Amino acid sequence: MERLFTRGRTIMGRLQKGDDLLSSLQRICSGLEIAQGELSAIGAVTCARIGYYDQAERKYAFLHLSRHLEILSLMGNVSLKDGVAFVHAHVVLGDESGRAFGGHLAEGTEVFACEFTVREFLTETPLRRSMDEETGLFLWGEDG
Amino acid sequence: MERLFTRGRTIMGRLQKGDDLLSSLQRICSGLEIAQGELSAIGAVTCARIGYYDQAERKYAFLHLSRHLEILSLMGNVSLKDGVAFVHAHVVLGDESGRAFGGHLAEGTEVFACEFTVREFLTETPLRRSMDEETGLFLWGEDG
Amino acid sequence: MERLFTRGRTIMGRLQKGDDLLSSLQRICSGLEIAQGELSAIGAVTCARIGYYDQAERKYAFLHLSRHLEILSLMGNVSLKDGVAFVHAHVVLGDESGRAFGGHLAEGTEVFACEFTVREFLTETPLRRSMDEETGLFLWGEDG
């Protein structure tokens, strides 16, 4: 399924050292009442918690990385889940030897520095997440 | 070379489990008659086929990863090649241990779940790919 | 802190073989007098120089990769530093075995081929970088 949107607001900003990366982006998007959009960020974290979805077991396994890492990319989207702005983001992280790691961004990832952009998209019928039986994930429905 | 564009449509959507990742994005962009644009996506695949361009041999070497992987980032663009919308995208993929892999997205990458955005850009003289002798790649010409 | 912007110009282009990746993006953005924006790119490099910020020592350590690598993602932003357009970008790079590496993009990264997009954002009070004592980095201030 694909849907057309018009463009809404553009936000750039930075998070503070010590902020929880996912919760902060979530709080900013819900504070601005963004129903749909896209986000990207770069920066660094003092530690990270990332998920890998086990497609057979249909559940996330989480990994905690207790290391200082660069945020090489954070790519994500915003849509409504249970009526509120929900951020879904994936990150790529880099260590001191340049090796890259990554996964589904989870709470427990602590910001050292982070510069982000949010691009809001507008539409009459909001994009909503609901349980998709085929994958076990909350995905966008055909009707929104 | 750089060119100025005005903004066209914004599309968000998701692919279905079992879809070929590159072919589906290609089909959506050509269906919408997008001449230029940019795309990004996150999600997961059941297997992947990625290319690495051998700059000396001037040809792609392809790698097939027969594993369930997260799409940590898909970044790409759309332009015309032989008159039709052509998607050029690179992916970063993550495994269950958090390690990241990636390359030039090729056909043979199967979607588990995928959320994408396409941003269309408009211009009078479309951006066209043609053979660049210096690199052996199909790149954008100075005149389009 | 977060700030609202309106949208400015959209630029797509490509760099030439042999260009310095960061310097070229910097030159294009300052030539276009872009005060704020976002950029993304994919392509390939003949060698790369990437930084990792040592959060304890408060300085960058640089790594030189003398290899042909794909640019799997380049994600960055543009803002003013000392009155001129300053590009801050992170890259993810991939080798012939598909492994991913990355860091803070530094001068010394040589382009083989590179396709980029710059999205300009406009505002009355420009976004400016100044020294942040907490991190030792030049970050955006509360007032700009």
Side-chain angles (χ1 to χ4, degrees):
Chain A
M1 54 79 63
E2 62 256 18
R3 298 263 308 274
L4 281 171
F5 297 87
T6 55
R7 313 242 168 147
R9 293 165 288 178
T10 301
I11 298 104
M12 281 179 95
R14 74 169 173 102
L15 304 181
Q16 296 293 328
K17 184 170 183 309
D19 282 351
D20 183 84
L21 179 52
L22 178 59
S23 309
S24 301
L25 293 174
Q26 184 77 50
R27 179 181 42 74
I28 289 165
C29 291
S30 72
L32 290 164
E33 298 188 0
I34 290 173
Q36 299 91 199
E38 215 188 5
L39 46 88
S40 51
I42 56 173
V45 296
T46 53
C47 64
R49 189 160 159 267
I50 54 177
Y52 168 85
Y53 191 69
D54 185 322
Q55 300 174 13
E57 297 290 327
R58 298 164 69 101
K59 62 181 180 192
Y60 279 101
F62 292 97
L63 216 69
H64 190 86
L65 307 171
S66 305
R67 308 162 61 185
H68 296 180
L69 297 159
E70 298 286 313
I71 303 171
L72 302 181
S73 83
L74 180 155
M75 192 178 269
N77 58 55
V78 190
S79 58
L80 294 181
K81 188 177 166 193
D82 302 326
V84 294
F86 175 82
V87 170
H88 178 207
H90 284 192
V91 283
V92 184
L93 305 164
D95 71 9
E96 71 289 348
S97 70
R99 276 176 305 186
F101 301 87
H104 174 92
L105 177 63
E107 288 188 20
T109 301
E110 195 181 280
V111 171
F112 177 75
C114 178
E115 297 170 352
F116 66 88
T117 304
V118 178
R119 292 175 291 278
E120 182 187 40
F121 302 150
L122 303 172
T123 181
E124 298 232 341
T125 313
L127 205 54
R128 291 178 206 282
R129 290 185 181 277
S130 56
M131 174 52 65
D132 173 65
E133 296 302 333
E134 198 177 8
T135 58
L137 293 167
F138 283 84
L139 301 177
W140 299 326
E142 286 298 328
D143 60 340
Chain B
M1 55 79 65
E2 62 256 18
R3 296 261 309 275
L4 280 172
F5 297 87
T6 55
R7 313 243 168 146
R9 293 163 289 178
T10 300
I11 298 104
M12 281 179 95
R14 73 170 174 101
L15 304 180
Q16 294 293 328
K17 186 171 183 308
D19 282 350
D20 183 84
L21 180 51
L22 178 59
S23 310
S24 301
L25 294 174
Q26 184 77 51
R27 179 181 42 75
I28 288 165
C29 291
S30 72
L32 290 164
E33 297 188 0
I34 290 172
Q36 297 91 199
E38 215 189 5
L39 46 87
S40 52
I42 56 173
V45 296
T46 54
C47 64
R49 189 160 159 269
I50 54 176
Y52 169 84
Y53 191 69
D54 186 321
Q55 299 175 13
E57 297 289 328
R58 297 165 69 103
K59 62 181 179 193
Y60 279 101
F62 292 97
L63 216 69
H64 190 86
L65 307 171
S66 306
R67 307 161 61 185
H68 296 180
L69 297 159
E70 298 285 313
I71 303 170
L72 302 182
S73 82
L74 179 156
M75 193 179 268
N77 57 55
V78 190
S79 57
L80 294 181
K81 188 178 165 192
D82 302 327
V84 294
F86 174 82
V87 171
H88 178 208
H90 284 192
V91 282
V92 184
L93 305 164
D95 72 8
E96 71 288 350
S97 71
R99 276 176 306 186
F101 302 88
H104 174 91
L105 177 64
E107 287 188 21
T109 301
E110 194 182 281
V111 171
F112 178 74
C114 178
E115 297 170 352
F116 66 88
T117 304
V118 179
R119 292 174 292 278
E120 183 187 38
F121 303 150
L122 303 171
T123 182
E124 298 232 342
T125 312
L127 206 54
R128 291 178 205 281
R129 290 186 181 276
S130 55
M131 174 52 66
D132 173 66
E133 295 303 333
E134 198 177 8
T135 59
L137 292 167
F138 283 85
L139 301 178
W140 299 326
E142 287 297 327
D143 60 340
Chain C
M1 55 80 62
E2 63 257 18
R3 297 263 307 275
L4 281 171
F5 298 87
T6 55
R7 314 241 167 148
R9 294 164 289 177
T10 301
I11 299 104
M12 281 179 94
R14 75 170 173 101
L15 303 180
Q16 295 293 328
K17 185 170 182 311
D19 283 351
D20 183 84
L21 179 51
L22 178 59
S23 309
S24 302
L25 294 173
Q26 184 77 50
R27 179 181 42 76
I28 289 165
C29 291
S30 72
L32 289 164
E33 298 188 358
I34 290 173
Q36 299 91 201
E38 215 189 6
L39 45 87
S40 51
I42 56 173
V45 295
T46 53
C47 65
R49 189 160 159 268
I50 54 176
Y52 169 84
Y53 191 69
D54 185 321
Q55 300 174 13
E57 296 291 327
R58 297 164 70 103
K59 63 181 180 192
Y60 278 101
F62 292 96
L63 218 68
H64 190 85
L65 308 171
S66 305
R67 307 161 60 185
H68 295 181
L69 297 160
E70 298 285 312
I71 304 170
L72 302 181
S73 82
L74 180 156
M75 193 179 269
N77 56 56
V78 190
S79 57
L80 294 180
K81 188 178 165 193
D82 302 326
V84 294
F86 174 83
V87 170
H88 178 208
H90 284 192
V91 283
V92 184
L93 304 163
D95 71 9
E96 70 289 350
S97 71
R99 275 175 306 185
F101 301 88
H104 175 91
L105 177 64
E107 287 188 21
T109 302
E110 194 181 281
V111 170
F112 177 75
C114 178
E115 297 170 353
F116 66 87
T117 305
V118 179
R119 292 174 291 278
E120 182 187 38
F121 302 150
L122 304 171
T123 180
E124 299 232 340
T125 313
L127 205 53
R128 291 179 205 281
R129 289 184 182 277
S130 56
M131 175 51 66
D132 173 65
E133 296 302 334
E134 197 176 8
T135 59
L137 293 167
F138 283 85
L139 301 178
W140 299 326
E142 286 297 328
D143 60 340

